Amino acid sequence: IGTGLIVRLMSVALADIAWISNSLPTTGSGRTILDITMSDRIPYALVYALSGMDARSQASRVRGQMTWIVGGAVTELRDVDLEGTPVDFALLERFNTQPFPYPFRGQITGRVRARGGPLNRWMVDDAQATFRDANVAGAITRGRGRGELDILQPSLTVFRGFDMVLDSMDLRTPQFLNVDFPRVNGMLAGTARLDSIWTDVRFDEADFRHWDGDSPESRFRGRGR
């Protein structure tokens, strides 16, 4: 490759670039500038830098930039600045290469900025999202977060000191997804630090508020699972 190859893709089928990673979608289209170079850190690894990206697939639209580094011991994803307008869970399942353990349906709008790193030590600088639940009419969850994740297998995502700010969560969503979730209605908001796999959440430094209509508000602080 020499010093590198820059390809300006004004219109491309996503199937034509899905070879970069088996988690990328094979349907849909978009445009991007693709800069391919050899890694200066990892022998024989290739760097695929995508910028000016605007891709549509599976009821989703994603714009921004990201850099994949392929060929090392663990695939890396760095310099991420992506905006979803929206991102449908059908696309997220494609990234995961299989269905999630819980039957999520709906769309997320938001933005992720991440210095990134190896997928098993992936650093998020700022993530903001609004989820509109297609399983439960009118249920909306809004939140923000920053910290480290293990997303090598997205369906088994692990939080590693991930600071979460939950602006509001409609508790009908987790009730629908998991029959074992407490039958508590209303809304939840607050902050916590997460340190566990997402299907068995363990948290500390928590400070949550709960309210349900005109009932008195409750507040909970501490740690739990």
Side-chain angles (χ1 to χ4, degrees):
I1 294 179
T3 58
L5 174 66
I6 298 177
V7 182
R8 189 179 299 272
L9 302 171
M10 301 307 296
S11 179
V12 60
L14 296 184
D16 292 338
I17 61 171
W19 47 266
I20 294 176
S21 171
N22 65 0
S23 66
L24 293 177
T26 56
T27 60
S29 61
R31 58 183 173 83
T32 190
I33 298 172
L34 174 61
D35 187 351
I36 307 173
T37 58
M38 298 293 295
S39 172
D40 59 2
R41 297 184 299 106
I42 306 171
Y44 309 112
L46 288 173
V47 179
Y48 302 97
L50 290 85
S51 59
M53 185 176 67
D54 188 348
R56 299 172 187 261
S57 178
Q58 295 179 284
S60 304
R61 184 181 186 185
V62 178
R63 295 180 290 182
Q65 65 180 42
M66 59 182 174
T67 298
W68 292 87
I69 304 174
V70 181
V74 179
T75 297
E76 298 185 17
L77 177 58
R78 294 185 177 272
D79 303 326
V80 174
D81 187 352
L82 295 175
E83 183 178 14
T85 57
V87 172
D88 194 274
F89 258 92
L91 180 62
L92 296 179
E93 285 196 340
R94 173 58 202 173
F95 288 152
N96 189 45
T97 70
Q98 62 182 322
F100 288 105
Y102 295 109
F104 283 99
R105 288 177 60 243
Q107 296 186 327
I108 298 171
T109 56
R111 184 178 184 183
V112 175
R113 286 175 286 187
R115 73 194 76 170
L119 294 182
N120 60 346
R121 290 283 182 179
W122 202 66
M123 182 60 67
V124 177
D125 297 298
D126 181 56
Q128 302 184 30
T130 297
F131 171 53
R132 290 175 170 80
D133 192 345
N135 289 318
V136 182
I140 297 176
T141 294
R142 294 182 173 89
R144 296 164 280 146
R146 65 188 306 272
E148 188 175 294
L149 301 170
D150 178 346
I151 57 170
L152 190 60
Q153 293 181 268
S155 65
L156 301 175
T157 293
V158 177
F159 299 101
R160 301 182 186 275
F162 190 87
D163 293 320
M164 178 192 69
V165 177
L166 188 62
D167 295 316
S168 63
M169 172 187 280
D170 190 319
L171 292 176
R172 292 179 297 168
T173 289
Q175 284 184 12
F176 179 92
L177 295 172
N178 188 344
V179 296
D180 294 327
F181 192 85
R183 302 294 97 178
V184 179
N185 298 318
M187 305 292 291
L188 190 69
T191 61
R193 171 162 287 189
L194 309 180
D195 278 295
S196 63
I197 190 168
W198 78 274
T199 54
D200 185 13
V201 176
R202 300 162 194 266
F203 59 89
D204 57 18
E205 301 181 24
D207 188 350
F208 287 109
R209 298 181 298 112
H210 170 262
W211 67 96
D212 184 6
D214 296 328
S215 300
E217 184 178 287
S218 300
R219 186 175 184 184
F220 308 89
R221 288 186 286 189
R223 60 190 304 172
R225 174 185 177 190

